[in-house]
Amino acid sequence: MKKTLLILFTVFSVSLFAQENKSAAGGPPKLSELLGFWKKVEIPNEDKLNQINPWPQKYQWFAFYENGKVYSMMSDKDYDYSSKELKEVFNVLPYDKTPNYILNGQFLSIDNKEIKDYEEKWGVNLFAIDVNDFVKKGNLIMSLDDGKGNVVYYRLLKKIE
């Protein structure tokens, strides 16, 4: 298990400091690769790995739209939503209260106009190969910065086709 996490963080760290270059293992996603619907994948021992858990519900879904909006939804129960079902859910949410995102290379910023001075800073890496049983080609790992350059939360996502 420790070896698996070490591989995961080594791959992520190498890509994080490799500027905009993609390695054989992966690198920053292009906007076209980020767009769409995603589901959170559980990372083994993530409760010990993450220093904080601002999103405590275990099951999470996300949508990144071309218009710069990011939608999210959480649940205590797992569902196998299709992209069509998620689109219907997210289309009901108010556009003007939905957070915006900006992808800039290896970094993703999310704001929330409903909360004054709110901003999330994420490092992002799209895997180009299978790393182990839970990190697969096409998975996106996001690492949340605490505003001081420290990673305090990891989120692994798989794309929903």
Side-chain angles (χ1 to χ4, degrees):
M1 185 63 64
K2 288 181 182 178
K3 183 178 179 182
T4 299
L5 289 176
L6 180 62
I7 291 169
L8 173 66
F9 297 117
T10 300
V11 168
F12 183 69
S13 298
V14 167
S15 69
L16 186 60
F17 296 107
Q19 303 279 328
E20 296 271 342
N21 299 329
K22 287 195 174 200
S23 72
K30 298 177 201 165
L31 180 59
S32 61
E33 295 170 319
L34 179 67
L35 296 177
F37 300 92
W38 298 84
K39 181 178 182 179
K40 182 180 173 289
V41 175
E42 188 172 354
I43 300 171
N45 294 321
E46 69 182 42
D47 56 332
K48 294 176 184 159
L49 174 66
N50 289 326
Q51 296 175 24
I52 63 168
N53 189 358
W55 301 278
Q57 290 182 292
K58 184 175 180 176
Y59 303 102
Q60 302 173 18
W61 298 266
F62 303 87
F64 292 93
Y65 284 86
E66 196 166 4
N67 64 6
K69 294 293 186 181
V70 58
Y71 293 84
S72 63
M73 171 174 79
M74 293 177 252
S75 174
D76 291 325
K77 294 183 181 182
D78 191 14
Y79 297 97
D80 196 19
Y81 291 114
S82 68
S83 57
K84 181 182 177 192
E85 290 169 318
L86 288 171
K87 184 176 182 180
E88 289 173 6
V89 169
F90 293 141
N91 281 345
V92 173
L93 300 176
Y95 178 85
D96 60 332
K97 295 184 181 203
T98 300
N100 299 297
Y101 75 90
I102 296 173
L103 177 64
N104 186 6
Q106 296 173 244
F107 300 98
L108 181 80
S109 299
I110 297 176
D111 72 13
N112 187 338
K113 293 185 181 0
E114 295 293 300
I115 303 170
K116 185 179 177 177
D117 298 325
Y118 182 89
E119 185 176 37
E120 297 173 20
K121 292 277 191 186
W122 294 88
V124 290
N125 183 70
L126 186 67
F127 288 95
I129 60 169
D130 290 356
V131 175
N132 52 34
D133 289 340
F134 62 95
V135 177
K136 300 294 184 186
K137 178 181 179 178
N139 284 173
L140 179 72
I141 191 154
M142 301 175 68
S143 59
L144 182 63
D145 185 286
D146 67 357
K148 299 173 188 165
N150 304 305
V151 175
V152 293
Y153 181 80
Y154 293 91
R155 176 187 288 151
L156 182 64
L157 302 176
K158 72 175 179 178
K159 192 112 185 220
I160 299 170
E161 300 300 331

